[in-house]
Amino acid sequence: MKVTVEIRSPEDVMEEGHIVHRFADEEGLEMLIASLEAMRDDLPRSNPLRLFSEEWGNGGLSTDKVMDDAQITHCLKITKHDW
């Protein structure tokens, strides 16, 4: 499974001008869909969804870059919020 999160123009993060790219292979995409469906259905321990690179934790995120000029993110946290 590969899920990679990359930030293009990381120098623009403070100005909120950056772009976040998330790449996934077939297995990674299926895992994300299942995790989001569990969050939608309020299943126990489904919210928030946290993925870390091997360097930071559980190995759910890949550190294999897709874009040469981007920076890898080592943590992806997706939280359901009731506005």
Side-chain angles (χ1 to χ4, degrees):
M1 176 189 78
K2 284 202 179 185
V3 176
T4 302
V5 178
E6 301 179 31
I7 299 174
R8 180 163 277 164
S9 304
E11 62 278 0
D12 295 332
V13 168
M14 296 305 292
E15 289 79 29
E16 298 181 356
H18 61 287
I19 299 170
V20 176
H21 300 263
R22 188 198 41 79
F23 301 95
D25 63 6
E26 183 86 20
E27 184 182 354
L29 186 57
E30 291 298 324
M31 183 277 304
L32 284 171
I33 291 169
S35 297
L36 293 172
E37 286 176 341
M39 186 183 300
R40 179 196 59 209
D41 296 337
D42 292 321
L43 295 181
R45 296 181 298 282
S46 65
N47 188 29
L49 167 63
R50 289 185 181 96
L51 296 174
F52 300 97
S53 67
E54 279 190 24
E55 291 81 354
W56 279 36
N58 65 12
L61 282 182
S62 171
T63 54
D64 296 335
K65 280 187 176 182
V66 175
M67 300 181 300
D68 291 334
D69 61 340
Q71 296 297 312
I72 290 291
T73 298
H74 290 276
C75 174
L76 172 63
K77 180 179 176 183
I78 300 174
T79 305
K80 178 183 174 185
H81 182 71
D82 297 320
W83 299 103

